[in-house]
Amino acid sequence: MIAQTAYRRRRLGVLALVLTLAALVMPEPSIRQSPMMLVKVDSAQGIDGPDDVIWILALGSDAREGQPPLGSRADAIQMIGVNLRTGAGSIIGIPRDSWVPIPGHGSDRVNAALTYGGPQLMARTVGDLVGVQPDYVFATTFIGFKAMVQSMGGVTVYSRLAFTDDYMVGEIERGENRLSGFEALFFGRARHFLPNGDFDRSANQQELLRGIVREIRAKQDEPGFMERGALSVMQHMYTDLSPAELYRLGHAATGIDPSRLEGCVLDGSYGTVNGASIIFPNTSQARRLADEARDDATFDTGC
Amino acid sequence: MDTSNDDSTALEVRTKISGVLGRLPQAQRERLERDAGQLVSGYLAAAYLHERPSDGFRGSFPGFTTGARELALKDVDTASDAAFSGADEVRSRSAVAFLSVVATEGRAVGATARIFLDLAVTDGSRGRLVEVRGRLLLSPVGDGWRIFGYDLTLDNPPSGKQKPGKGGNR
């Protein structure tokens, strides 16, 4: 049964008196029509989320099926600052071969920190590099990432380049690409035919993040979409958040404006250490980017 | 009809779970339907069907988290009956909510309530149907549930805000 509830505001008796007199002196209309047209729409949205800029370290581990997801190297390393009050966001991409100090382990490639000490050590290592410690760490695997994109029904990205890769199956066109989970993984991993290798790959990962935010914002109204996505994240992503916190943060993330999600990939120079090819990252750029984005999640002077 | 002796502020929103992502035992589903129904009913009644106390809209958002309430206070034109607060009568014609739920380990950890509230608003000889549509975002907090977000539309509210009701009730 649908509840019928009413309240009546009791105005002064004057109104009733006027209406009564009007009824006495005026002919009653044969049909009384009330204006019931739908003509105007007001809307409002608000989500209780963090007021300040929050920093999230997003990691993609290269663990294959059967391997421990957090004991492997990180292939994708993106430090994301978002201001949920303004919708602005900044992403600092860290090339995986960046040679950096890892607390307690001397210097090594940054992605080795995940193997040495899990997400916590990885967070500290990247935090020390840029000068801002992440509030949250999200880590997923190839398989998990693919599943999460699939749960959204795919993702659209805008590629600066057309490319393929001899080592992987996939092909990307310049401009708009609608990608399945498998294709999105290719877009975020391929690097061999990219002119700037790891740097271009990191930029592609940032475009993937933009695409995911666009997808979430476009579909958040669909019944069950946010819940399906949240469940997939809970199943496929490591995070130190409780499921309820994750669900709330996921909704809060719909406040991010993808057109204001600016990405910079850390510069660096190629080098060799103990015969291994590595990148010496531009640490002063890393500090500057994080300093500029620290309070409002925007890069004041670009990359 | 004088409703002064009725429980005119109660509103029972028909609440039904439309989908569960994850595993949630039947007993938990029934409990969630009941708890969420009470939460949603409490808000909709307070926001759209209550006499407004003289201190304004602070009481219009029961069950909201503190942050969500602060946001809603800036959106009273949509998230409450502020746009037609001077009307003579507001009556709910139907009130329904559908819940999409996400659950892990047998427990609900979040839900979206899709609301469909139809209000018949009468002001003098004019009557209009005002439709409240949208989503309320629900999360377990402590032993209960709270509304931590909203995304609402108000179809056909009167153009131009009306002055508050007389008699000190609004």
Side-chain angles (χ1 to χ4, degrees):
Chain A
M1 187 187 83
I2 296 171
Q4 291 286 315
T5 304
Y7 74 89
R8 186 181 292 275
R9 300 184 177 95
R10 277 168 288 173
R11 283 184 166 176
L12 297 174
V14 174
L15 179 60
L17 183 62
V18 168
L19 290 174
T20 305
L21 288 173
L24 288 173
V25 299
M26 295 172 67
E28 186 177 336
S30 56
I31 300 173
R32 182 175 175 225
Q33 290 183 321
S34 295
M36 287 288 192
M37 294 180 299
L38 297 179
V39 291
K40 185 180 171 224
V41 177
D42 286 343
S43 63
Q45 184 176 26
I47 298 175
D48 184 5
D51 280 337
D52 298 325
V53 173
I54 59 169
W55 288 91
I56 297 166
L57 178 61
L59 303 173
S61 141
D62 67 357
R64 295 344 195 243
E65 199 153 11
Q67 292 180 324
L70 301 177
S72 302
R73 294 169 303 170
D75 238 19
I77 306 164
Q78 302 287 345
M79 185 74 159
I80 308 161
V82 290
N83 186 338
L84 298 174
R85 190 170 41 81
T86 65
S90 303
I91 316 173
I92 303 172
I94 318 285
R96 66 169 192 178
D97 291 335
S98 298
W99 189 259
V100 299
I102 297 177
H105 297 272
S107 287
D108 206 329
R109 285 195 179 103
V110 62
N111 67 350
L114 191 63
T115 314
Y116 290 143
Q120 286 77 20
L121 184 61
M122 190 72 196
R124 207 173 140 203
T125 301
V126 174
D128 288 350
L129 173 65
V130 301
V132 173
Q133 294 297 326
D135 299 295
Y136 308 106
V137 182
F138 291 163
T140 188
T141 61
F142 293 160
I143 300 161
F145 178 78
K146 203 166 57 177
M148 285 188 286
V149 173
Q150 280 302 102
S151 78
M152 294 194 304
V155 65
T156 297
V157 296
Y158 297 89
S159 180
R160 296 164 296 123
L161 304 162
F163 61 92
T164 181
D165 191 316
D166 275 358
Y167 296 84
M168 300 166 65
V169 178
E171 187 174 349
I172 297 294
E173 295 176 358
R174 188 166 184 273
E176 183 176 322
N177 290 260
R178 182 71 188 170
L179 307 178
S180 66
F182 181 84
E183 292 164 334
L185 187 60
F186 172 80
F187 184 73
R189 287 190 66 208
R191 70 187 171 104
H192 292 104
F193 286 181
L194 294 173
N196 294 307
D198 212 15
F199 297 98
D200 283 338
R201 174 167 70 168
S202 188
N204 283 348
Q205 291 165 359
Q206 294 176 347
E207 173 55 18
L208 262 179
L209 288 169
R210 269 186 222 101
I212 289 169
V213 173
R214 281 192 292 265
E215 204 70 25
I216 293 171
R217 281 170 63 104
K219 293 182 175 175
Q220 60 178 312
D221 289 342
E222 291 180 9
F225 176 80
M226 294 299 289
E227 287 70 32
R228 187 166 58 250
L231 182 65
S232 183
V233 169
M234 289 168 200
Q235 289 171 334
H236 299 292
M237 191 179 274
Y238 162 88
T239 166
D240 42 6
L241 291 173
S242 72
E245 288 171 323
L246 191 63
Y247 181 73
R248 289 197 296 271
L249 187 64
H251 273 289
T254 61
I256 300 170
D257 179 352
S259 68
R260 298 186 64 198
L261 199 50
E262 191 178 358
C264 290
V265 178
L266 212 53
D267 290 336
S269 52
Y270 287 102
T272 306
V273 173
N274 299 328
S277 177
I278 53 94
I279 291 170
F280 292 110
N282 184 339
T283 53
S284 59
Q285 182 203 17
R287 294 292 175 129
R288 177 182 64 77
L289 289 172
D291 272 347
E292 289 184 358
R294 188 186 304 271
D295 295 329
D296 60 2
T298 60
F299 297 133
D300 301 331
T301 58
C303 292
Chain B
M1 181 180 72
D2 183 352
T3 61
S4 59
N5 293 322
D6 296 343
D7 180 11
S8 62
T9 58
L11 172 72
E12 186 186 339
V13 178
R14 190 174 57 172
T15 306
K16 184 170 176 55
I17 291 178
S18 58
V20 177
L21 278 299
R23 188 183 66 80
L24 191 64
Q26 185 60 28
Q28 299 285 335
R29 290 180 187 228
E30 291 169 5
R31 185 177 167 189
L32 174 61
E33 259 181 6
R34 187 190 64 228
D35 292 350
Q38 288 174 355
L39 184 67
V40 172
S41 300
Y43 157 58
L44 294 178
Y48 297 101
L49 292 160
H50 268 206
E51 293 284 349
R52 183 90 45 231
S54 57
D55 63 351
F57 295 93
R58 293 208 75 83
S60 298
F61 307 105
F64 277 48
T65 61
T66 304
R69 180 180 294 113
E70 294 305 314
L71 292 170
L73 283 167
K74 297 173 187 166
D75 285 327
V76 291
D77 281 355
T78 302
S80 80
D81 67 345
F84 46 94
S85 58
D88 295 325
E89 183 182 74
V90 178
R91 177 181 291 271
S92 82
R93 293 178 54 172
S94 69
V96 184
F98 295 105
L99 298 176
S100 296
V101 183
V102 58
T104 57
E105 298 175 355
R107 295 185 60 187
V109 296
T112 299
R114 255 155 244 291
I115 61 166
F116 300 83
L117 173 65
D118 288 353
L119 300 170
V121 178
T122 307
D123 194 15
S125 60
R126 290 169 56 86
R128 65 171 61 225
L129 174 70
V130 175
E131 295 180 347
V132 184
R133 299 286 186 270
R135 299 176 295 145
L136 297 174
L137 312 179
L138 317 183
S139 176
V141 176
D143 292 335
W145 284 75
R146 291 285 181 275
I147 297 167
F148 72 93
Y150 55 89
D151 181 8
L152 298 170
T153 61
L154 211 57
D155 280 6
N156 203 32
S159 57
K161 195 182 294 187
Q162 299 188 14
K163 62 188 176 186
K166 298 172 183 172
N169 289 327
R170 307 274 292 183

